[in-house]
Amino acid sequence: MVTFEQSQKQELDNVLEEAEKFHGHLGPFLVLGVRMGLIGVREVKAKENNNKLRVTATLKYSVPFSCIIDGIQVATKCTIGNKKLELTDSSGITTEFEIQNKRKVTVALNPATFSRLKNKMLSKDVSPEDTRKLALMVASMPEEELFIIGSK
Ligand SMILES: [Zn+2]
């Protein structure tokens, strides 16, 4: 028997692997994007490759924040190229998911959690091994600790 948690964990692992290949490395911000994307798809009840899904990501358009974008693209298949992903350059990290004229869900990075992790996540002299470790830690953190999910 595979529990719901196990199948979610398996899905996250699969998408993270795909995202790492696409993005070139595994870092904490890429993981944030993948997790936000998967939560959004789940919360608006979009099936994979749902044609009506649109995503708007609001974040600072510079590395490492912009790494989030690639995570979102891999997890949702809404991309800059297919114009289903829109970017708003701003402070804060929030992503809005919408099934046209139906459901709308916002997934925001919990500011309290981020301020606790910020120094580690934004530190410049971190080895690739430690970046990876940090990414895996972010991957295993409880969803409710990392994100604030709201629906309209
Ligand atoms: Zn990156």
Side-chain angles (χ1 to χ4, degrees):
M1 263 281 284
V2 178
T3 66
F4 180 66
E5 281 74 31
Q6 284 170 330
S7 73
Q8 278 210 315
K9 168 92 175 56
Q10 187 58 55
E11 186 191 22
L12 177 63
D13 287 348
N14 292 344
V15 181
L16 282 176
E17 206 182 306
E18 207 183 311
E20 183 180 1
K21 271 185 207 149
F22 177 70
H23 185 66
H25 72 112
L26 186 69
F29 288 89
L30 183 71
V31 174
L32 284 178
V34 166
R35 292 195 65 178
M36 288 175 115
L38 290 176
I39 292 168
V41 167
R42 185 190 75 209
E43 292 295 315
V44 296
K45 300 183 170 61
K47 293 264 178 332
E48 204 180 326
N49 293 322
N50 187 311
N51 248 332
K52 294 195 165 123
L53 179 65
R54 296 291 180 276
V55 180
T56 307
T58 302
L59 46 83
K60 202 168 160 213
Y61 191 40
S62 63
V63 173
F65 299 98
S66 50
C67 296
I68 291 174
I69 299 165
D70 281 351
I72 293 171
Q73 293 192 116
V74 172
T76 64
K77 307 289 185 273
C78 291
T79 69
I80 300 290
N82 66 24
K83 296 194 80 174
K84 292 177 185 173
L85 172 66
E86 253 181 60
L87 295 178
T88 308
D89 188 358
S90 174
S91 61
I93 298 173
T94 306
T95 309
E96 199 174 274
F97 301 84
E98 185 173 10
I99 298 281
Q100 264 169 357
N101 310 320
K102 270 189 166 172
R103 291 193 174 77
K104 204 184 222 180
V105 166
T106 305
V107 183
L109 183 62
N110 185 341
T113 305
F114 184 57
S115 66
R116 191 158 51 78
L117 297 176
K118 206 162 63 181
N119 287 343
K120 265 191 187 174
M121 284 174 74
L122 297 177
S123 168
K124 293 245 188 291
D125 43 44
V126 187
S127 66
E129 293 75 36
D130 284 344
T131 300
R132 198 180 174 84
K133 265 189 210 151
L134 191 56
L136 294 174
M137 191 203 87
V138 171
S140 64
M141 276 175 73
E143 184 174 302
E144 54 283 2
E145 194 179 329
L146 267 184
F147 303 111
I148 297 169
I149 303 170
S151 50
K152 284 181 215 165

